[in-house]
Amino acid sequence: WHLVRHLALGVLLCRLRFGTGILARNIAGYYAAHDLHECVVGDVVSGMKKYVPGFRAIENLWEAHVHEQIGLPLSMSFSKENVRELDMLALVVEMTRLNHPAQSIARLNTGLEATEEHLQCFDQVTEMSTSECWDIVTQAIATARKELNAKV
């Protein structure tokens, strides 16, 4: 299960959770971008970051750089909380569908459950090529960037 599939899953889950209006499209764009810096710095479990001096600073620099390159401001008032919620939901869905041993702990800690609709999103992403997943991610980012730039 690769980063791009995780991001594509989150975009599909965003559509289920928030619909297709302008706010939902902006949230989907920010979700699609939220882990892109991990292509450079890697995916390090949050609890481990405190043991690697300077890691968060490096991660923050790359995150800012990625956002600058894709043309999305680093933070919007709606983005952080909604993206975090989607990220936790994607985690629960992934762990449930992949039958991860810690799935019950993830559900307990997040208070979220994977519904049949959520699992169908996972299955849909699984059937996509990597290129199709990147298309979902880049389209979500492009749509959010276009709508945010139209407001300025």
Side-chain angles (χ1 to χ4, degrees):
W1 191 253
H2 300 284
L3 173 65
V4 68
R5 293 193 184 282
H6 172 72
L7 298 176
L9 173 62
V11 171
L12 297 182
L13 293 173
C14 183
R15 293 174 186 161
L16 278 178
R17 170 70 179 87
F18 298 107
T20 58
I22 190 167
L23 178 63
R25 292 190 303 269
N26 287 334
I27 293 168
Y30 273 85
Y31 183 87
H34 88 282
D35 280 341
L36 286 178
H37 64 281
E38 290 178 2
C39 292
V40 177
V41 298
D43 185 9
V44 177
V45 179
S46 296
M48 294 299 296
K49 292 177 185 179
K50 64 184 173 186
Y51 298 111
V52 181
F55 183 83
R56 285 210 191 265
I58 292 167
E59 186 178 48
N60 291 341
L61 285 171
W62 275 105
E63 184 179 23
H65 178 72
V66 166
H67 275 265
E68 181 181 317
Q69 293 301 306
I70 63 176
L72 285 180
L74 187 56
S75 183
M76 297 297 286
S77 59
F78 61 80
S79 66
K80 211 164 203 78
E81 183 178 312
N82 297 124
V83 167
R84 176 88 173 137
E85 177 187 339
L86 285 172
D87 207 27
M88 292 297 99
L89 179 57
L91 172 73
V92 169
V93 171
E94 291 161 353
M95 291 180 95
T96 300
R97 185 53 98 204
L98 297 171
N99 201 25
H100 192 281
Q103 64 182 289
S104 60
I105 295 168
R107 286 194 304 269
L108 181 66
N109 286 341
T110 63
L112 299 168
E113 289 286 336
T115 67
E116 191 55 42
E117 283 183 308
H118 299 148
L119 296 173
Q120 287 171 2
C121 288
F122 180 95
D123 295 341
Q124 182 181 351
V125 169
T126 301
E127 293 170 6
M128 292 177 187
S129 68
T130 301
S131 177
E132 290 170 318
C133 290
W134 276 118
D135 286 346
I136 287 175
V137 170
T138 57
Q139 287 171 7
I141 292 168
T143 299
R145 182 180 56 237
K146 179 181 170 189
E147 291 180 353
L148 289 170
N149 288 335
K151 290 182 184 179
V152 177

